[in-house]
Amino acid sequence: MDTPMYTEAGPAPEAPPGDGVRRAGDPEAATATSRRDRVYALLREEVLSGRIAPRVRLGEVRLAELFGVSRTPVREALARLHSDGLVERRENGFYATVPNLAELRDLYELRVTLELRGISRAMEDPSVRHDPGVLRAELERWEKLRADVPEPDPSFVLLDEEFHAAVSRASGNRALTDSLVSVNRRIRRVRMYDFLTADRIASTVTEHIRITEHLLAGELDSAYRAMHEHVGASMEVVLERARRALTQMALHSDAL
């Protein structure tokens, strides 16, 4: 999508008049919900794909014209994306999020801690067991992906996040999982540039399978080491990965 499409321009029609109340079973309510979800999904894809440069303001009026809707679903979509950590609010509006390196260092460190804690708590307490049903479902899903490896794509980051959330959830600490999901959302805009090569996709699939197999076998020490290696054995590795991602983001944005 070309950058000029994301500038403010002329008025767009607002929502039709009415009492503003959407009642259960009301077809109009269902349509409004569908419209909101569609705009959110489309705009999220534009941000995740990197087609919206960080320097471009996400103007409600222009986006409403682009998607053929009123400003209301656009405003709601931007609010949801802000909650997801994919856009940030600046003085004059919303922009695609670009964390700085200092923020990334802290967030990546927190991510590693949360990932490993989901396993270490089971190592410390024999009564803690990872849910085998959740793990088997993940193993089956990733074995299918190994048999038919996806093409490199920034949106692969969403599949990766789902895996890590599921493994954390299997450990039985909901607060831990909620924290991990929140952190991953905040670094998603950068992490998506980690999945632009076929070898990276293939290695991620293999590592996910290995971690899951260790957990199902009750091999917690091996699972811990495999997870540690997977998410970054040292802060130097993590930071170098972040630097590369930021460089890719800058280069990609310049091309828009």
Side-chain angles (χ1 to χ4, degrees), residues 111 115 119 130-131 134-143 145 155-171 177 180-181 184 188 191 195 200 203-216 223 226-228 230-231:
R111 181 196 178 212
E115 297 274 16
I119 300 175
H130 283 77
D131 186 330
V134 173
L135 295 178
R136 290 193 194 99
E138 284 303 306
L139 182 59
E140 180 179 354
R141 183 160 74 123
W142 288 91
E143 284 179 336
L145 288 172
S155 64
F156 187 84
V157 70
L158 299 176
L159 291 177
D160 182 76
E161 286 182 19
E162 289 172 5
F163 168 80
H164 288 280
V167 170
S168 178
R169 186 171 64 253
S171 74
T177 303
L180 177 61
V181 169
N184 279 333
R188 179 184 297 162
R191 285 196 66 241
F195 300 108
R200 179 59 182 150
S203 64
T204 297
V205 172
T206 299
E207 290 163 14
H208 283 182
I209 291 173
R210 183 182 302 123
I211 291 167
T212 309
E213 288 176 337
H214 284 315
L215 289 173
L216 280 169
M227 180 67 83
H228 195 192
H230 177 61
V231 297

Side-chain angles (χ1 to χ4, degrees), residues 88 97-101 103-104 107 186-187 189-190 246 249:
E88 60 187 44
T97 300
V98 184
N100 62 45
L101 203 56
E103 291 173 330
L104 282 173
L107 291 171
R186 294 177 65 184
I187 61 178
R189 173 73 178 171
V190 170
L246 286 171
M249 180 182 293

